Amino acid sequence: MRKLPVKLASQLYGAAELIAERGLDGTKIEDIAEATGIPKATLYYHLEGKNAVLEFLLTDLLEMIAGAVGIAIASAESARTRLETAVTAQLGVMLEHPFLCRALVGDLGRATRLPDLAVALRAAFFEPIEQLLTDGAADGSLRQVTDPSAVATSIFGAITVAGLSAAVDGPLKEPSSEAVRLSAAISDLILDGLAPPGTRDALES
Amino acid sequence: MRKLPVKLASQLYGAAELIAERGLDGTKIEDIAEATGIPKATLYYHLEGKNAVLEFLLTDLLEMIAGAVGIAIASAESARTRLETAVTAQLGVMLEHPFLCRALVGDLGRATRLPDLAVALRAAFFEPIEQLLTDGAADGSLRQVTDPSAVATSIFGAITVAGLSAAVDGPLKEPSSEAVRLSAAISDLILDGLAPPGTRDALES
DNA sequence: CCTATGTTGTACTGCTAGTACAAACTGTGA
DNA sequence: TCACAGTTTGTACTAGCAGTACAACATAGG
């Protein structure tokens, strides 16, 4: 199944919108064949089934995200700055590929049951954030938090849901500027919080 | 389909774990029949199919969450305090029902394609938060943000993903104390942010 | 021109959701 | 006790789709 010929791979993207719209179950293999122009027999020659189609598409998306985020966090800036850059990078890729995102949400359950994908998902989304949190505590550009893992999960959720929801609401005309707008809002939230200036406190009693 | 007899309704919960584990597609109606003790013919007498089983379970979960959150935000406290209470309430219900949560993630796509559920989902999760943001800006207990809708989506994402991820990681022995712990971490994040004290600034140039 | 590998149409199998229906059971009201 | 409505359940059936089998054909490298 690895080493899918490039031509087929690119045709396969034609199935993303279909899957995004109806879910994988609502999509017949025959529909995918028709939408991509790849005959059913050929699909089965290269792929192991419907799930493999989804897996191929999502692996790709996750690799794009992991790649973009990877570049963003590799700079020499402070962790705080890198966090902001990473947020923008992740949202950028997501908004650039709304159909893939919608397919991902729609079949999240299946995705998390595909072992390779679950790993890719963690690597693309969660781990970079966790790393930045650690770095930030070390270089002083981010506050030390009580429960870094819970906070990383929440940040991951904030970014991802915002991106997903933007993707679901409809493909944008200007994905990259929208990504900048959205990520500004998110960075604003996760860096400065919602408490009015001057009221900061330790929440624990 | 409305007015499912109470006895059947309670038996139906026996299917939640199954669906959480394998997804709705991986679960045969016969499996549900066996797990719940409700014969297939009876299931079809009351429900319109597999989707209706999921819809029933999730509607219930969403109503529980909407109810708990509704109570939390109805108090006379400041919006900020109510936000913290609401976070705890939502997480409390989610952690109390890990299988339902897992079923929800797993079949999120299907869920959002069930019109009633999509509405319930918004009402349970998103709208209360948006409301609190407005209230907080009015009563001065929360900062006015540039893009309230994006921020509400992000907060919703932060809470929900944290809860979902806790539910997926495994049922807890002590759901309610875990909910308190988690919601403290989230409130800490969304109220005070990650910037170290004294470095707050407007992010926009 | 021979062989590997890929491509595709066609026909088939097997599984499962959903349906049909008849027989039995339950409670209610007269 | 009976009649009736609603419910319960087993059994048998239909239909649709994923996945398989396979043969004919294409293509390219040596």
Side-chain angles (χ1 to χ4, degrees), chain A residues 27-164:
Chain A
T27 310
K28 286 175 273 191
I29 282 280
E30 307 273 12
D31 296 339
I32 297 179
E34 195 175 347
T36 57
I38 308 171
K40 175 175 151 174
T42 308
L43 282 172
Y44 276 105
Y45 181 78
H46 290 285
L47 300 169
E48 287 179 354
K50 249 182 167 187
N51 278 352
V53 175
L54 185 71
E55 187 166 3
F56 169 80
L57 291 174
L58 296 189
T59 302
D60 225 62
L61 172 68
L62 262 21
E63 276 167 8
M64 284 188 280
I65 292 176
V69 171
I71 294 172
I73 65 178
S75 85
E77 306 285 341
S78 71
R80 175 196 164 127
T81 305
R82 286 183 285 149
L83 178 57
E84 294 181 61
T85 317
V87 172
T88 311
Q90 173 170 335
L91 286 171
V93 177
M94 290 182 79
L95 298 192
E96 209 80 52
H97 301 277
F99 294 131
L100 290 180
C101 285
R102 292 177 59 187
L104 177 60
V105 206
D107 290 281
L108 228 199
R110 198 185 314 261
T112 56
R113 249 170 264 118
L114 264 23
D116 295 355
L117 257 188
V119 173
L121 230 148
R122 272 193 69 85
F125 289 97
F126 183 79
E127 282 164 11
I129 296 172
E130 207 171 19
Q131 183 59 49
L132 283 175
L133 242 40
T134 310
D135 292 357
D139 73 11
S141 63
L142 296 175
R143 183 163 66 89
Q144 174 100 47
V145 292
T146 319
D147 185 343
S149 157
V151 168
T153 307
S154 301
I155 295 177
F156 153 65
I159 303 172
T160 307
V161 170
L164 253 21

Side-chain angles (χ1 to χ4, degrees), chain A residues 21 25 80 106 109-110 113 140-141 143 147 154 157-158 181 186 188 190-197 200-201 203, chain B residues 21-22 25 80 106 109-110 113 140-141 143 147 154 158 181 186 188 190-197 200-201 203:
Chain A
E21 216 66 56
D25 303 303
R80 175 196 164 127
R110 198 185 314 261
R113 249 170 264 118
S141 63
R143 183 163 66 89
D147 185 343
S154 301
R181 212 178 60 71
I186 296 176
D188 186 28
I190 65 182
L191 288 172
D192 286 350
L194 291 172
R200 256 198 178 178
D201 53 23
L203 294 170
Chain B
E21 216 67 55
R22 315 187 198 161
D25 303 304
R80 178 198 162 124
R110 198 186 312 262
R113 249 170 263 117
S141 63
R143 182 163 67 90
D147 186 343
S154 302
R181 212 179 58 72
I186 296 176
D188 185 29
I190 65 181
L191 288 172
D192 286 349
L194 291 173
R200 257 199 176 176
D201 55 23
L203 294 171

Side-chain angles (χ1 to χ4, degrees), chain A residues 159-176:
Chain A
I159 303 172
T160 307
V161 170
L164 253 21
S165 128
V168 169
D169 285 349
L172 286 339
K173 336 79 228 151
E174 261 306 334
S176 68

Side-chain angles (χ1 to χ4, degrees), chain B residues 119-140:
Chain B
V119 174
L121 230 148
R122 270 193 72 84
F125 290 95
F126 182 80
E127 281 164 12
I129 296 171
E130 205 171 21
Q131 184 59 48
L132 283 175
L133 243 39
T134 311
D135 292 358
D139 73 11

